[in-house]
Amino acid sequence: MAAEILAEGVCYQYSRSSQMALKDVNLRIGKGEFVAIIGPNGSGKSTLAKLFNGLFVPTKGRVTVDGLDTRDRENVWKIRQKAGMVFQNPDNQIVATVVEEDVAFGPENLGVPPEEIRRRVDEALEIVELKDYAQKPPHQLSGGQKQRVAIAGILAMRPEYIIMDEPTAMLDPVGRKEVINTVKRLNREEGKTIVLITHFMEEAVQADRIIVMSEGRVLMEGSPREIFSKVDELKTIGLDVPQVTELAHRLKGRGLAVRSDVLTIDEMVECLCPLL
Amino acid sequence: MPIVVKNLTHVYMPGTPFESVALRDVNWKVEDGEFWGLIGHTGSGKSTLIQHLNGLLKPTSGEVIVDGVNLSDRGVNLREIRQKVGLVFQYPEHQLFEETVEKDVAFGPRNLGLPEDEIARRVKEAIELVGLKYDEIKDRSPFELSGGQMRRVAIAGVLAMKPKVLILDEPTVGLDPRGRDEILGQIVEFRKKQNMTVILVSHSMEDIAKLVDKIAVMHKGRMVDSGTPKQIFKNYEALASMGLDIPQVTHLMIKLKNRGKDVATDVMTVEEAEAEVLKAARRKGHA
C-alpha cells in the first residue's frame, strides 16, 4: 500500500457555483514531507486541503490516502484518523473547558481505552510544549497557545498526515513563530507529514516543497529556492516574495552579480559582502 | 482636530481579584492630518488605548481631549465624538448585518438622523472611496462577497459617517497579499481625498514602514517610544526584545553595517535598499 496522499485528475465544483473550484489537479504528497501550499484567495487551496482528508470528495478524478479512496464512504473514518486537520481560528476548534480534556476529545471519540488516552494526551502536550498548561482553561491562553492545543488534539489521534489551513492567519508575530516552530518539530522529530496552507511567505520558505495554486490549478511546484526565484510570476498572481528575495531579483536586474534565489537575510549578507 | 492623551491610566476590573493595569501613564499627541502607526505585542495595550480615543472606555485616571473637549467631562456628547473619531475594529466584516451593501453602509449616517438625499450621497461616496463599484455592489448581500470586499464594505460604513479621525485596528489581518495591498492602497487614497487623520494599528512593520509618518510603540501598557519610522527602527534591539520585528531590508542593512560595510541603516523599503546597495557597490566599482 502506497504511503502517500495522491490527487489524480481532481476537479471540484461547489454545489451553488457555476465554476470549478479545482480543475484537473494532480499532486502527490509523500510520507514525511513538509509541503507548503500558497496561492491567492480563491485559488483553491482550502478546497484542496478539504479533499485531502475526505471532508470533500472530488466531483471528478480521485483522491487516495495511503491507497484508500476518499469517495468510498467506508474509508471515511480511517482516512480522517490518518489525516488530521487544523483550521484558521483556534477558538472554533476548542471544545472543552480544560486544556487536557480538549486534547482528549479526539481519542475518546475513537474509543481509545482511558489509560491509553492519558498517555497520548501527555505525550501530545509534551510535543507542543504545553505540559504546564494541561489543567488551564483554554480561554486564558494566547492565540498561539490555543492553536498548539488544537494541534495537540490532532496529535492525540495519532495521524500520519497533518493538514493545516492557514493556522497562523489570526495570530500575532510571536504566536506565528510558536506555531511554525511546533510544525517544524512535528515534521523533523515526530516524522509527521505536513501540508501547510499559508499566506506568509516566510513560513512557506521553511517547507521542503512549495505548491503554488492559481485559479483552481497547480501553477508551479518546486523547492522554496526554485519557486521564490520566480519573483515576477508570483507577483503577477498577487503573491508576495520575501523582501530580501525581491531585493536580490532587482539588484540582478540592475546588473549586480548576485544570486536570484536568496531566501534569508543571512544569505543576502553573504551574497552582498564581496560586492560592497 | 488634535487628540491629546495626558497621563492616561486604565485599570480593568479594579478592586477585584481580576484587576489588571492595561495602560500606565500614557502621553500622546496626534495632530491634524497625521498618519500614525501604533505597534506593540498582543496585550501591550494598543486596543485599550484606541478605545479611549472615542470614549468607548473611560480613563481610570488622566485625560483624553479630542478637539478641545475632555471626554471625561460631564455632559459630553459622545455621539458627536464617535462621529468625528471613527473606529474600525479587527474583523469588521463580522459586524455586517444588513440585507444589502447599500443598507449596511447607510446604517451609521441614518442613525445620525441625516436627510435621505444626504445619506444616499454619502453611501455612494464611501463605497467608491474603498474602491468598490457602487452600481455593481449596492444591491448585493454583504454575505456573498469575498473576505476582502466584505472588509471594505465594513470600512465604508465608518467612512460614511465622515469622521475627521479614522482608527483602524489590524485592517489587513487574515487577507492574502493582494487583498492587503488593496486595502492599504485605499487607505492612502481616501486619507488624501478626505484629508483625514489616520491611526493604523498593525503587527506588520513592513506595511507600517511604507505608509505612516510616525510610529508609537506600546509595551506592557506604556508608550515606550514614538517618532518617525526611521527613528523608531534605529532601536531595533529594543524592538526585538519586545517581540517586534523590523522590516527585513532594515535588518539586512544593519547586518551589512556590522560587517563593516559603508551603508545607511535607515532603509525601510525594497526600493530604498536597492538604491543604497547600488550606491555602495558603485563606490567599489562593482556596478
Side-chain angles (χ1 to χ4, degrees):
Chain A
M1 193 171 66
E4 62 189 11
I5 296 179
L6 205 58
E8 294 167 290
V10 169
C11 300
Y12 188 81
Q13 187 170 17
Y14 285 92
S15 57
R16 287 179 56 197
S17 168
S18 57
Q19 278 183 356
M20 286 282 180
L22 289 177
K23 302 160 193 159
D24 190 29
V25 170
N26 294 284
L27 279 173
R28 176 183 179 277
I29 312 284
K31 194 152 278 186
E33 266 195 297
F34 176 6
V35 179
I37 303 182
I38 61 177
N41 284 346
S43 60
K45 306 182 302 287
S46 293
T47 308
L48 187 59
K50 292 184 179 109
L51 283 154
F52 282 164
N53 83 338
L55 275 177
F56 293 170
V57 293
T59 308
K60 234 173 87 189
R62 67 176 196 151
V63 173
T64 54
V65 178
D66 288 355
L68 300 167
D69 193 324
T70 60
R71 289 172 305 183
D72 187 344
R73 300 302 301 169
E74 287 188 359
N75 290 336
V76 165
W77 293 108
K78 267 192 222 157
I79 289 169
R80 299 240 172 107
Q81 197 190 331
K82 278 178 185 290
M85 265 195 100
V86 176
F87 297 95
Q88 202 179 84
N89 189 344
D91 291 321
N92 294 346
Q93 298 170 76
I94 288 176
V95 292
T97 52
V98 178
V99 164
E100 62 177 11
E101 285 175 16
D102 192 81
V103 178
F105 182 80
E108 271 170 5
N109 272 350
L110 295 176
V112 174
E115 59 277 18
E116 169 71 9
I117 293 179
R118 177 79 261 164
R119 209 166 41 236
R120 289 191 185 190
V121 168
D122 290 344
E123 188 191 274
L125 284 173
E126 174 104 50
I127 293 171
V128 300
E129 294 179 323
L130 285 176
K131 232 177 160 184
D132 296 341
Y133 293 81
Q135 310 288 337
K136 288 250 165 37
H139 69 85
Q140 285 186 4
L141 305 184
S142 71
Q145 288 169 334
K146 282 186 210 168
Q147 199 59 297
R148 279 147 64 203
V149 171
I151 293 172
I154 297 298
L155 280 177
M157 309 218 289
R158 298 263 164 95
E160 315 266 356
Y161 305 91
I162 302 179
I163 297 151
M164 302 186 160
D165 192 359
E166 294 190 47
T168 61
M170 300 177 82
L171 305 181
D172 66 15
V174 173
R176 272 188 350 232
K177 271 179 209 149
E178 281 172 27
V179 169
I180 287 306
N181 288 340
T182 303
V183 168
K184 272 159 58 184
R185 210 167 44 244
L186 291 178
N187 178 252
R188 315 255 147 97
E189 291 168 24
E190 307 297 320
K192 302 292 180 198
T193 307
I194 305 285
V195 178
L196 173 70
I197 295 173
T198 185
H199 282 314
F200 295 106
M201 302 306 147
E202 66 270 26
E203 295 175 3
V205 160
Q206 319 251 10
D208 303 323
R209 185 157 65 100
I210 298 179
I211 294 166
V212 185
M213 300 289 298
S214 174
E215 296 177 353
R217 295 180 198 278
V218 176
L219 184 72
M220 289 182 241
E221 230 184 306
S223 70
R225 265 182 222 292
E226 287 163 1
I227 297 297
F228 284 117
S229 62
K230 294 175 183 158
V231 172
D232 295 331
E233 280 132 296
L234 292 172
K235 290 209 143 187
T236 308
I237 61 165
L239 290 179
D240 272 339
V241 295
Q243 274 195 334
V244 287
T245 312
E246 188 179 351
L247 178 61
H249 180 76
R250 282 170 175 249
L251 290 172
K252 199 174 175 197
R254 299 288 291 268
L256 217 58
V258 292
R259 282 165 41 195
S260 59
D261 62 350
V262 170
L263 293 178
T264 67
I265 295 172
D266 288 332
E267 284 175 10
M268 191 66 184
V269 170
E270 294 314 319
C271 214
L272 288 176
C273 267
L275 302 173
L276 303 180
Chain B
M1 206 189 76
I3 296 180
V4 181
V5 175
K6 273 193 208 161
N7 307 112
L8 173 62
T9 293
H10 189 87
V11 183
Y12 283 112
M13 295 199 267
T16 74
F18 303 106
E19 177 174 307
S20 75
V21 183
L23 294 176
R24 291 171 202 268
D25 196 23
V26 171
N27 290 285
W28 190 23
K29 189 162 186 201
V30 177
E31 300 282 2
D32 272 359
E34 283 183 330
F35 194 166
W36 278 86
L38 184 60
I39 64 176
H41 189 256
T42 304
S44 61
K46 304 185 302 279
S47 297
T48 306
L49 175 58
I50 60 174
Q51 289 180 63
H52 279 85
L53 304 186
N54 73 348
L56 279 176
L57 289 176
K58 290 235 181 305
T60 306
S61 65
E63 296 176 340
V64 178
I65 297 158
V66 176
D67 212 5
V69 177
N70 185 333
L71 301 194
S72 300
D73 284 351
R74 273 169 186 270
V76 168
N77 184 348
L78 282 177
R79 199 161 152 170
E80 204 175 292
I81 297 294
R82 285 180 194 150
Q83 186 199 333
K84 287 182 185 169
V85 181
L87 184 52
V88 179
F89 286 101
Q90 268 189 44
Y91 300 99
E93 60 275 21
H94 294 170
Q95 293 166 44
L96 298 171
F97 67 101
E98 276 284 11
E99 290 162 26
T100 68
V101 168
E102 187 169 34
K103 282 186 187 169
D104 210 292
V105 176
F107 182 78
R110 189 157 283 137
N111 270 352
L112 295 178
L114 297 171
E116 281 304 315
D117 58 333
E118 170 71 9
I119 295 173
R121 216 153 33 93
R122 285 190 178 199
V123 168
K124 183 164 190 283
E125 187 186 42
I127 291 175
E128 284 169 356
L129 276 175
V130 296
L132 296 170
K133 294 209 171 69
Y134 174 75
D135 290 323
E136 282 174 21
I137 210 160
K138 69 180 172 63
D139 295 322
R140 291 179 63 186
S141 160
F143 301 102
E144 55 186 40
L145 305 177
S146 75
Q149 287 173 324
M150 280 168 81
R151 194 161 295 179
R152 283 192 268 174
V153 169
I155 295 173
V158 176
L159 287 177
M161 310 274 283
K162 295 231 170 187
K164 297 270 193 337
V165 178
L166 183 70
I167 305 171
L168 301 122
D169 191 357
E170 295 271 8
T172 62
V173 71
L175 298 180
D176 69 351
R178 179 170 286 165
R180 179 201 64 206
D181 289 346
E182 279 172 5
I183 290 221
L184 293 177
Q186 296 302 337
I187 292 171
V188 170
E189 280 296 303
F190 62 61
R191 187 180 92 92
K192 251 190 261 159
K193 280 189 197 147
Q194 309 288 81
N195 195 24
M196 258 186 297
T197 305
V198 175
I199 301 172
L200 180 68
V201 179
S202 175
H203 283 304
S204 167
M205 297 301 164
E206 280 154 20
D207 291 348
I208 291 253
K210 264 187 280 186
L211 297 172
V212 306
D213 309 320
K214 285 182 177 170
I215 292 178
V217 186
M218 296 294 296
H219 185 57
K220 294 189 175 163
R222 294 180 194 276
M223 191 171 283
V224 293
D225 204 356
S226 69
T228 65
K230 285 186 202 275
Q231 288 165 348
I232 297 294
F233 292 142
K234 260 185 201 152
N235 301 323
Y236 61 95
E237 279 162 340
L239 292 174
S241 73
M242 296 174 217
L244 299 172
D245 290 326
I246 53 172
Q248 255 196 341
V249 288
T250 314
H251 204 165
L252 171 72
M253 293 313 212
I254 290 165
K255 286 197 164 186
L256 287 171
K257 183 105 194 168
N258 289 345
R259 294 276 291 260
K261 301 299 169 189
D262 181 17
V263 291
T265 54
D266 61 347
V267 158
M268 296 182 303
T269 64
V270 174
E271 290 79 4
E272 288 173 357
E274 179 186 1
E276 188 59 29
V277 170
L278 282 174
K279 214 163 68 186
R282 267 188 213 118
R283 281 196 295 265
K284 295 272 174 182
H286 284 291

